[in-house]
């Protein structure tokens, strides 16, 4: 797949004022009272321009803002971008990432093709240099991204590529920064890959196309294997939930299985982890059809599955010593003469029967088959990620994903992985009291609960398909998309889950973060 924007990311040992670049990026906290050494040195060469700017109060150094000072003959950079970092005590690794994203976005806008970042400098010893370089790399990818694959008539073109470098004068620091650049590049690049797949509309990506993309990814990635079940195989295996949801569309459902096996034999004794992602390539609601107004958003109903696809790519490229299974049930939910209907009773892969009372509650119908498959494969840990309920968005808004599960340790690990990733989660309940609501008179379960607590009843439905296996569920309905562009990102897919799940798996594999 061609990348939206080509990024070459390196480190460079050089004195910042001597760095020949289109844009030199330095971070500044909003509560700075005295400039640090590096910034003071630049200020002196710029004849006090930074001090004057701050004194006038034109730049408050809030996170997500920046100021540009144009260079002179005493510094080699054409522009100095002062990136706001907000309050010093509130800073996290995500602060570094966001500042890098904002700078990279500005570089693309200004057509500054070479950008040199010394953002880590302002943080001193607060975070590990490798972790900061990783966050900066991810931020550069994140901020420069913009989905314009099908725009053929743009006004004045845009930058096709950028060269970004993280710079420092100290060779010991450069060595540490290098380590972070390596992994940050893999994560950043793959998150952009996820965003592009997610942004593609349903006439471009249906279940069969998504299966081909997974197959292609496995073909070119060491350690990654791919198996696809088509509709005939789904019928033979008894995956009734996935088949029912896909039955209304000509674009037949697929079950995508990606398997990562580490090269290191010792790692085969590691726990087996299943990542399960909902990939509804379009959710019209089916016969229980959705209102027209924002139905176009429902091309994003595949983002859970795409996050899983992307994380599998990251795991393989980082060659983590873990056993990971990526399970992606994919279908298109459309109304037609062959659709599943309200009232239908479906026998799912687990053997449990489900009474369908709303065809728009389709995510749980496909996930239950995939979860039961993970249990059958004897996975030790199952994590699913899905744009499951509008109710989760009502409960938590657009900044936090709902986190559910049956194992406190797993929930804590995911909360920790979310810290600093910039992909936030909030723990929510899914116990027996919600499960009671999902009992049916004519089948084992029904697919909707009462009016209230929809994110929790949906989670409790899923919970009934994992048995005793440790399980967590991320409801990303509110966070998978930016409705409007913001200070760090273009509108469209956010790639949510790629950094969070990568962090989780990296710490399981013993990496420091
Ligand atoms: N894909 C939707 C959930 C969704 C809604 C995601 C808005 C992103 C934005 C899901 O399949 C759905 O339709 N859920 C229903 C469940 C209901 C019928 C019980 C919902 O949330 O309304
Ligand atoms: Mn739906
Ligand atoms: Zn859906």
């Amino acid at each position: 797949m061609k990348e939206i924007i080509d990024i070459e990311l390196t480190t460079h040992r050089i004195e910042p004022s001597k760095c020949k670049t289109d844009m030199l990026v330095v971070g500044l906290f909003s509560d700075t009272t005295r400039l640090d050494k590096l910034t003071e040195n630049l200020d002196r060469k710029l004849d006090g321009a930074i001090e004057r700017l701050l004194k006038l109060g034109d730049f408050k150094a809030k996170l997500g803002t920046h100021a540009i000072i144009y260079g002179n003959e005493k510094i080699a950079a054409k522009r100095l971008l002062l990136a706001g970092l907000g309050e010093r005590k509130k800073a996290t690794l995500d602060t570094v990432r966001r500042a890098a994203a904002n700078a990279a976005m500005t570089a693309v806008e200004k057509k500054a093709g070479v950008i040199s970042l010394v953002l880590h400098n302002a943080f001193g010893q607060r975070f590990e240099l490798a972790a900061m370089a990783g966050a900066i790399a991810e931020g550069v990818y994140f901020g420069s991204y913009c989905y314009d694959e099908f725009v053929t008539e743009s006004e004045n073109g845009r930058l096709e590529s950028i060269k970004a470098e993280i710079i420092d004068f100290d060779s010991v620091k450069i060595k540490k920064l290098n380590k972070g650049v390596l992994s940050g590049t893999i994560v950043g690049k793959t998150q952009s890959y996820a965003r592009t797949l997610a942004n593609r509309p349903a006439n471009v990506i249906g279940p069969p196309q998504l299966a081909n993309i997974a197959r292609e990814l496995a073909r070119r990635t060491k350690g990654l294997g791919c198996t696809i079940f088509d509709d005939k195989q789904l019928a033979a295996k008894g995956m009734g939930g996935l088949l029912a949801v896909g039955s209304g569309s000509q674009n037949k459902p697929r079950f995508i299985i990606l398997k990562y096996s580490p090269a290191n034999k010792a790692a085969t004794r590691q726990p087996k982890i299943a990542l399960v992602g909902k990939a509804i390539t379009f959710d019209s609601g089916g016969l229980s059809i959705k209102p027209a107004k924002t139905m176009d958003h429902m091309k994003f109903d595949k983002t859970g599955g795409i996050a899983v696809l992307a994380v599998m790519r990251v795991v393989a490229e980082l060659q983590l010593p873990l056993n990971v299974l990526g399970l992606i049930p994919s279908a298109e939910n459309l109304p037609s003469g062959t659709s599943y209907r309200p009232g239908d009773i479906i026998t799912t892969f687990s053997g449990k029967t489900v009474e369908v009372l709303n065809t728009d509650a389709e995510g749980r119908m496909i996930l239950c088959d995939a979860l039961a498959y993970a249990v059958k494969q004897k996975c030790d840990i199952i994590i699913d990620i899905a744009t499951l309920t509008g109710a989760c968005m009502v409960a938590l808004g657009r900044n936090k994903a709902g986190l559910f599960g049956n194992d406190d340790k797993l929930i804590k690990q995911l909360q920790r992985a979310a810290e600093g990733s910039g992909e936030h989660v909030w723990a929510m309940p899914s116990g027996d009291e919600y499960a009671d609501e999902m009992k049916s008179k004519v089948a084992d379960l029904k697919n909707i609960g009462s009016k209230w607590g929809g994110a929790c009843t949906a989670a409790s439905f899923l919970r009934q398909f994992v048995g005793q296996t440790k399980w967590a569920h991320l409801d990303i309905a509110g966070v998978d998309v930016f409705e409007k562009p913001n200070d760090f990102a273009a509108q469209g897919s956010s790639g949510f889950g790629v950094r969070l799940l990568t962090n989780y798996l990296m710490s399981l594999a013993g990496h420091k973060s």
Side-chain angles (χ1 to χ4, degrees), residues 40-51:
E40 192 185 43
N41 183 38
L42 288 168
D43 189 44
R44 202 173 319 114
K45 295 205 151 89
L46 289 165
D47 304 318
I50 300 176
E51 283 287 9

Side-chain angles (χ1 to χ4, degrees), residues 278 283 290 298 301 358 360 362 387-390 393 448 477:
K278 169 180 171 181
D283 182 12
K290 287 181 182 294
M298 286 300 127
D301 212 20
N358 190 318
D360 199 11
E362 85 297 339
T387 47
L388 201 62
T389 66
M393 190 154 57
I448 54 170

Side-chain angles (χ1 to χ4, degrees), residues 19-25 68-71 76-81 107 110-116 159 162-163 165:
C19 184
K20 260 195 173 160
T21 180
D22 292 329
M23 190 179 271
L24 178 66
V25 181
I68 295 176
I69 293 173
Y70 291 86
K78 290 185 190 149
R79 306 173 184 85
L80 170 67
L81 181 139
K110 305 252 181 271
K111 297 197 183 162
V114 180
I115 138 171
S116 309
L159 222 48
I162 40 181
K163 264 184 62 122
E165 50 180 25

Side-chain angles (χ1 to χ4, degrees), residues 197-434:
L197 293 177
N199 283 324
R200 285 185 182 163
N203 63 324
V204 177
I205 298 195
Q209 287 90 342
L210 188 60
N212 288 340
I213 288 164
R215 215 181 265 121
E216 173 59 23
L217 174 67
R219 200 188 51 74
R220 64 179 160 83
T221 311
K222 208 177 123 213
L224 211 54
C226 179
T227 310
I228 311 283
F229 297 162
D230 65 11
D231 47 320
K232 288 188 198 71
Q233 288 155 307
L234 291 173
K237 305 230 181 273
M239 294 206 161
L242 182 52
L243 275 171
V245 173
S247 64
S249 174
Q250 308 247 18
N251 306 315
K252 296 291 177 217
R254 295 286 187 271
F255 188 55
I256 302 165
I257 303 165
L258 285 163
K259 186 175 179 187
Y260 169 70
S261 318
N264 181 348
K265 282 280 169 289
T268 49
R269 281 196 304 269
Q270 291 273 355
K272 201 162 153 185
I273 300 145
L275 302 177
V276 178
K278 169 180 171 181
I280 294 291
T281 55
F282 189 72
D283 182 12
S284 71
L287 289 172
S288 314
I289 198 162
K290 287 181 182 294
K293 203 160 166 248
T294 54
M295 204 194 271
D296 60 305
H297 289 191
M298 286 300 127
K299 71 167 180 175
F300 292 114
D301 212 20
K302 58 187 181 300
T303 47
I306 285 167
V308 169
L309 185 78
V311 174
M312 294 306 290
R313 176 175 156 181
V314 172
V315 168
E317 290 189 4
L318 290 174
Q319 298 189 31
L320 295 184
L322 298 170
N323 301 292
V324 192
L325 205 55
L327 304 175
I328 308 171
S330 183
E332 185 172 43
N333 189 19
L334 293 184
S336 79
T338 56
S339 296
Y340 78 139
R341 322 152 187 79
D344 284 2
I345 297 173
I346 307 296
T347 302
T348 65
F349 184 62
S350 66
K352 285 191 205 294
T353 54
V354 179
E355 180 190 13
V356 177
L357 287 177
N358 190 318
T359 61
D360 199 11
E362 85 297 339
R364 61 200 79 180
M365 298 299 297
I366 69 167
L367 287 170
C368 70
D369 281 352
L371 293 172
Y373 182 86
V375 172
K376 204 166 170 202
Q377 296 298 308
K378 300 198 160 48
C379 291
D380 303 292
I381 295 167
I382 306 175
I383 301 173
D384 79 69
I385 174 163
T387 47
L388 201 62
T389 66
C392 193
M393 190 154 57
V394 172
L396 295 177
R398 309 219 53 164
N399 191 245
K400 285 180 168 57
L403 169 62
F404 304 80
N406 61 6
D407 184 76
D408 285 343
K409 183 171 162 205
L410 179 57
I411 287 175
K412 287 219 173 69
Q413 286 172 324
L414 284 165
Q415 284 171 322
R416 207 164 312 129
E419 279 168 24
S421 78
E423 297 180 340
H424 308 292
V425 298
W426 197 259
M428 305 263 283
S430 62
D432 292 344
E433 64 275 33
Y434 298 100

Side-chain angles (χ1 to χ4, degrees), residues 11-288:
T11 55
H12 185 185
R13 193 181 87 83
I14 190 162
E15 211 276 288
S17 69
K18 297 207 177 90
C19 184
K20 260 195 173 160
T21 180
D22 292 329
M23 190 179 271
L24 178 66
V25 181
V26 176
L28 196 73
F29 286 105
S30 58
D31 45 357
T32 299
T33 46
R34 252 195 78 193
L35 295 183
D36 60 39
K37 256 212 209 116
L38 172 111
T39 321
E40 192 185 43
N41 183 38
L42 288 168
D43 189 44
R44 202 173 319 114
K45 295 205 151 89
L46 289 165
D47 304 318
I50 300 176
E51 283 287 9
R52 284 197 299 280
L53 169 73
L54 295 177
K55 214 173 229 157
L56 280 175
D58 287 9
F59 178 56
K60 305 236 169 13
K62 282 203 186 115
L63 185 58
T65 68
H66 62 256
I68 295 176
I69 293 173
Y70 291 86
N72 59 12
E73 66 292 345
K74 282 181 267 178
I75 73 166
K78 290 185 190 149
R79 306 173 184 85
L80 170 67
L81 181 139
L82 289 172
L85 300 175
E87 263 178 73
R88 187 179 292 269
K89 68 171 189 304
K90 285 194 184 152
T92 68
L93 262 187
D94 196 45
T95 308
V96 195
R97 188 183 291 108
R98 284 183 174 224
N102 182 269
M105 185 184 236
T106 311
V108 173
E109 196 183 290
K110 305 252 181 271
K111 297 197 183 162
V114 180
I115 138 171
S116 309
L117 307 109
V118 244
L119 282 169
H120 58 281
N121 185 72
F123 293 83
Q125 311 275 313
R126 186 133 164 205
F127 306 107
E128 300 235 358
L129 281 169
M132 279 199 277
I136 291 168
E138 290 165 6
V140 167
Y141 275 92
F142 203 79
S144 59
Y145 182 88
C146 134
Y147 182 67
D148 56 5
E149 206 180 11
F150 291 102
V151 178
T152 65
E153 295 178 357
S154 77
E155 260 169 39
N156 42 17
R158 70 146 167 88
L159 222 48
E160 301 259 319
S161 64
I162 40 181
K163 264 184 62 122
E165 50 180 25
I166 300 178
I167 65 167
D168 201 286
F169 193 48
D170 180 338
S171 58
V172 178
K173 286 188 181 166
I174 285 286
K175 240 186 163 164
K176 293 180 180 162
L177 291 165
N178 260 329
K179 253 176 91 189
V181 166
L182 277 177
S183 57
T185 298
I186 289 174
V187 176
K189 192 178 270 194
T190 309
Q191 190 160 40
S192 295
Y193 165 81
R195 291 170 80 186
T196 296
L197 293 177
N199 283 324
R200 285 185 182 163
N203 63 324
V204 177
I205 298 195
Q209 287 90 342
L210 188 60
N212 288 340
I213 288 164
R215 215 181 265 121
E216 173 59 23
L217 174 67
R219 200 188 51 74
R220 64 179 160 83
T221 311
K222 208 177 123 213
L224 211 54
C226 179
T227 310
I228 311 283
F229 297 162
D230 65 11
D231 47 320
K232 288 188 198 71
Q233 288 155 307
L234 291 173
K237 305 230 181 273
M239 294 206 161
L242 182 52
L243 275 171
V245 173
S247 64
S249 174
Q250 308 247 18
N251 306 315
K252 296 291 177 217
R254 295 286 187 271
F255 188 55
I256 302 165
I257 303 165
L258 285 163
K259 186 175 179 187
Y260 169 70
S261 318
N264 181 348
K265 282 280 169 289
T268 49
R269 281 196 304 269
Q270 291 273 355
K272 201 162 153 185
I273 300 145
L275 302 177
V276 178
K278 169 180 171 181
I280 294 291
T281 55
F282 189 72
D283 182 12
S284 71
L287 289 172
S288 314

